[in-house]
Amino acid sequence: AGVAVMVSLLVSFTLTPLMSARLFNLGEVSKAAHGGPKSRGGFYGWMERLYMAVLGFCMRWRFAVLVLALLVMASSVPLYQSLRQEFTPGNTDEGEFEIGLSAKEGTSLTQMDEVALMAERELRAMHQLRLVQGGIGGSRISGANYARYYVRLAPHQERIFMWSRLLSLRPLDAFKGNYSQRDVLQEVRTRLRKLPGVRVSVRASSSSISVGGPNYDIDFSILGPDLESLSKYAEELRARSAELGMADADTTLKLDKPEFRVHVNRERAAALGVSVDDIATALRIMVGGDERVSRFRDASVGDDYDVQLRLAEGKRNDRETISRLYVPRRGGGLVRLDNVVDIVEGQTASRIDRLDRQRQVSLRGSILTMREEGGVLVPTGYAMKDRLQTLEAAFQEMNLPATYTTKISGRGRELERTFSEFLWAFLLSVIFMYMILASQYESLVHPFTILLSLPLSLPFALFSLWVTNNTLNLYSALGLLVLFGVVKKNAILQIDHMNTLRRHGLDRLQAIMDGNRDRLRPILMTTLTLVAGMIPLALGTGPGAEERRAVAVVVIGGQTLCLLLTLLVTPVVYSYLDDIALLFRSKHTPAPAPPPASEAVPVK
């Protein structure tokens, strides 16, 4: 954007004057001298007369206009609170998503393969899906009890409304058989909910902005000292996930991983001459396995192979088989393992996560966007920020000890960071604009009048998001920055021309009326040009169109709706600040000294 503005500045200094000199119609000068140009007639003439009448009314009732402007600025607070907030648009249709299946800890690869095949049959029965690719395990964290699928939908031009299809031989086809990625996600959840003993997670693929962690809409962490308590509290929240507005909720802490716990009878082991280290080594090799206990040389091909040693799969999970293993004793001989140890079955944590040197459990899931009411799916209206606030409130209601705290990670954490950093960006942009305008006008008052259009445009930008059912997110915040950059140009045109007319001898009221009349046309031209340029973004379709649409909605709504108010409020504020400047100047200007007595003129 900065480069484009610099290029336009160069064009305005070089090419624009050259083309004006070549294309300027001298006939317009004579017409302007005898009643004005034709372009000021017709519809524009009617609009100009209406504007002048309204502006004259506003200048007579300046205080009422000022109060109206303040009320409009104050409306930003309730509008901001009523908007749903999220990191990136949640309804982005990228045509692809991921599915995760999580079974109980200890599920074998064979059992998980059966579940995965059942899920694959359900997915292949859906005509909306074009590619289904999956696998079991294969991750550093996930084991054989986890399956993952990557799914790709049909191309956008086949399943969503496309403007290009309106120009085809059958334009009504543009409205037939349309479905979005959100519709497919809901159907996938319904189908996979029938799978026995698994938790299903369906979420969109990684967006264009990576947060450097798991791609979950909600990543709510509970930190504390005790694993069992952490698991209990997280499961309580997960059981209320539908009530709290979450879909596909799951926890990262699983305490149901089966294990064998070996208790060594040290007195008996010492009496039989068995070392605890030998017991541990035998169990490690037979159950865990040793990747290289020897080397095998195949002379026929000239290759060496590692010899691995481990009990067969069915044997290493059997307590009776493990109990019959033999371990060496000092002085020679072997002792059966069940003579020196007791083996009991138990459960433990599959993994232990830590955050800020504390044990943690994370409640992860998606935002519940559709809810079934009376057999019909209706939108919930939930967004990321309000769901995180609801989770935090639910956690506070549990009245846990002070040692248990919460922390938001992932996309929720980036949401908080983004909006706090954008506030600083807005503040710095206003400061820089004020400094540049103050140096250009050599005044501290006129830049304030110009920048008054920024808080006037903010409520209309937020209102346009609310009306179109959009959210306040990263892209709409970028749209606000773009809006702030272009909305102040109207006030610059108005104030600069009013100052010029006053320097030519016109009184303030006449300069205000004539200056705003003369600048009405360029203000309308630039506004309509900007709005027309944003319309393709607002109406565009295709992958990621929702992200681009958020920027366009803010710019179009904010610029269009605040146009009339800035055309009226800027002259009023200009006159008020001029009154204040005159009052300040009169208080600090010394009164003229009386003439000397010798120069007094006698009165006849």
Side-chain angles (χ1 to χ4, degrees):
V3 174
V5 171
M6 295 301 295
V7 172
S8 66
L9 177 66
L10 178 63
V11 171
S12 64
F13 283 166
T14 57
L15 184 60
T16 302
L18 176 63
M19 296 182 66
S20 299
R22 292 290 183 181
L23 303 178
F24 189 66
N25 187 0
L26 297 179
E28 288 290 325
V29 177
S30 60
K31 293 176 184 178
H34 298 83
K38 291 182 179 180
S39 58
R40 281 196 169 177
F43 176 74
Y44 177 76
W46 174 85
M47 186 166 48
E48 182 182 276
R49 290 190 296 272
L50 177 62
Y51 170 63
M52 296 306 296
V54 175
L55 180 59
F57 176 83
C58 292
M59 294 304 296
R60 289 191 298 271
W61 298 92
R62 295 188 302 165
F63 183 75
V65 175
L66 185 61
V67 171
L68 176 63
L70 293 177
L71 290 177
V72 170
M73 294 180 191
S75 66
S76 299
V77 177
L79 283 172
Y80 175 79
Q81 294 175 347
S82 62
L83 277 177
R84 296 176 295 128
Q85 299 180 28
E86 53 189 353
F87 180 55
T88 55
N91 60 340
T92 303
D93 189 340
E94 297 183 347
E96 56 185 9
F97 59 92
E98 297 176 356
I99 302 173
L101 303 178
S102 178
K104 185 179 179 181
E105 291 291 334
T107 303
S108 65
L109 185 64
T110 303
Q111 294 172 325
M112 195 63 198
D113 184 58
E114 295 177 359
V115 175
L117 291 176
M118 294 172 58
E120 188 173 341
R121 285 193 294 269
E122 292 289 341
L123 295 176
R124 293 192 179 277
M126 299 176 59
H127 69 279
Q128 303 96 325
L129 310 184
R130 293 297 176 87
L131 174 66
V132 178
Q133 182 180 9
I136 302 174
S139 172
R140 180 179 61 86
I141 297 177
S142 59
N145 64 315
Y146 183 80
R148 175 184 174 274
Y149 287 94
Y150 167 77
V151 181
R152 186 181 299 167
L153 304 181
H156 285 74
Q157 60 269 20
E158 297 181 14
R159 58 183 177 82
I160 64 173
F161 176 83
M162 302 290 290
W163 293 98
S164 58
R165 280 193 278 175
L166 290 175
L167 305 177
S168 62
L169 296 178
R170 294 183 295 180
L172 294 180
D173 290 348
F175 303 94
K176 295 180 180 179
N178 293 330
Y179 59 91
S180 66
Q181 178 176 295
R182 178 177 292 183
D183 300 329
V184 178
L185 293 181
Q186 189 64 34
E187 183 178 351
V188 168
R189 289 191 180 100
T190 303
R191 285 176 172 269
L192 298 186
R193 199 176 297 160
K194 300 179 294 185
L195 298 179
V198 295
R199 294 180 181 178
V200 181
S201 171
V202 184
R203 61 184 187 272
S205 300
S206 300
S207 63
S208 55
I209 299 178
S210 174
V211 297
N215 184 37
Y216 290 93
D217 292 334
I218 296 178
D219 194 346
F220 187 78
S221 299
I222 304 177
L223 288 70
D226 184 61
L227 286 178
E228 293 185 359
S229 299
L230 286 174
S231 178
K232 174 186 174 183
Y233 301 147
E235 284 297 325
E236 289 181 10
L237 290 177
R238 192 193 69 82
R240 300 174 54 194
S241 59
E243 171 191 345
L244 299 175
M246 289 183 62
D248 308 331
D250 199 1
T251 60
T252 57
L253 180 59
K254 305 291 194 306
L255 299 180
D256 58 348
K257 185 176 183 179
E259 68 174 3
F260 288 139
R261 296 173 183 172
V262 180
H263 300 283
V264 180
N265 190 328
R266 294 182 177 272
E267 294 181 358
R268 184 177 296 179
L272 295 175
V274 177
S275 170
V276 176
D277 184 64
D278 291 336
I279 297 174
T281 302
L283 289 173
R284 179 183 62 81
I285 294 176
M286 295 303 173
V287 179
D290 196 328
E291 294 184 356
R292 183 178 178 181
V293 296
S294 179
R295 295 280 291 177
F296 170 71
R297 173 72 178 178
D298 190 348
S300 61
V301 295
D303 286 337
D304 292 341
Y305 301 94
D306 292 335
V307 177
Q308 300 178 357
L309 180 62
R310 192 183 187 188
L311 289 175
E313 181 177 358
K315 301 297 183 181
R316 60 177 177 263
N317 297 328
D318 183 29
R319 182 176 58 179
E320 298 299 329
T321 303
I322 297 175
S323 300
R324 292 195 296 269
L325 295 177
Y326 286 88
V327 291
R329 57 180 299 185
R330 288 191 299 269
L334 297 174
V335 176
R336 219 168 88 156
L337 192 61
D338 55 4
N339 289 324
V340 292
V341 302
D342 294 322
I343 301 178
V344 297
E345 295 183 5
Q347 292 182 335
T348 186
S350 58
R351 75 175 199 235
I352 300 176
D353 297 328
R354 287 179 173 83
L355 181 64
D356 295 337
R357 296 185 296 180
Q358 298 185 71
R359 292 175 173 178
Q360 71 150 351
V361 54
S362 295
L363 178 65
R364 294 172 175 172
S366 304
I367 298 171
L368 186 64
T369 57
M370 305 293 290
R371 174 175 288 162
E372 187 173 349
E373 295 182 2
V376 180
L377 292 176
V378 295
T380 59
Y382 295 151
M384 182 183 295
K385 185 172 183 179
D386 55 73
R387 291 308 93 199
L388 291 174
Q389 292 174 343
T390 303
L391 275 174
E392 184 65 34
F395 177 80
Q396 296 298 331
E397 292 175 359
M398 298 169 68
N399 295 322
L400 303 185
T403 52
Y404 293 90
T405 58
T406 63
K407 194 166 187 177
I408 298 174
S409 304
R411 302 170 71 84
R413 177 191 60 195
E414 295 303 316
L415 170 66
E416 296 178 349
R417 288 182 178 178
T418 298
F419 279 89
S420 62
E421 291 173 359
F422 259 105
L423 289 177
W424 283 106
F426 290 151
L427 179 61
L428 291 176
S429 65
V430 172
I431 293 175
F432 291 155
M433 285 188 289
Y434 183 87
M435 293 170 58
I436 294 174
L437 291 173
S439 63
Q440 290 293 321
Y441 281 97
E442 298 182 353
S443 170
L444 300 178
V445 177
H446 295 319
F448 178 79
T449 312
I450 293 172
L451 295 179
L452 187 66
S453 58
L454 301 185
L456 279 176
S457 64
L458 181 60
F460 295 105
L462 299 179
F463 177 74
S464 62
L465 289 174
W466 180 77
V467 162
T468 57
N469 198 28
N470 280 285
T471 61
L472 187 60
N473 50 65
L474 174 63
Y475 293 96
S476 54
L478 288 173
L480 288 175
L481 281 179
V482 175
L483 178 64
F484 284 0
V486 299
V487 77
K488 68 182 185 302
K489 62 177 176 50
N490 297 346
I492 293 176
L493 293 174
Q494 293 171 277
I495 293 176
D496 182 73
H497 194 46
M498 286 188 288
N499 288 338
T500 302
L501 293 179
R502 294 187 68 182
R503 285 196 297 267
H504 283 75
L506 289 182
D507 63 276
R508 188 182 71 185
L509 181 59
Q510 190 63 36
I512 289 175
M513 300 299 293
D514 292 351
N516 285 275
R517 182 199 62 193
D518 295 340
R519 288 297 177 256
L520 178 61
R521 179 190 297 275
I523 288 175
L524 292 177
M525 290 171 58
T526 53
T527 301
L528 293 177
T529 301
L530 178 66
V531 170
M534 287 292 175
I535 288 177
L537 288 181
L539 301 180
T541 55
E546 294 79 8
E547 298 173 348
R548 302 187 295 270
R549 189 175 299 128
V551 179
V553 167
V554 169
V555 176
I556 292 176
Q559 179 73 4
T560 304
L561 297 177
C562 78
L563 174 63
L564 178 60
L565 195 58
T566 53
L567 286 174
L568 300 176
V569 173
T570 301
V572 171
V573 176
Y574 176 85
S575 63
Y576 265 119
L577 292 179
D578 189 65
D579 289 340
I580 295 174
L582 290 176
L583 181 63
F584 182 81
R585 194 178 302 119
S586 63
K587 287 184 177 180
H588 292 78
T589 302
S598 59
E599 297 182 2
V601 180
V603 179
K604 296 182 180 180

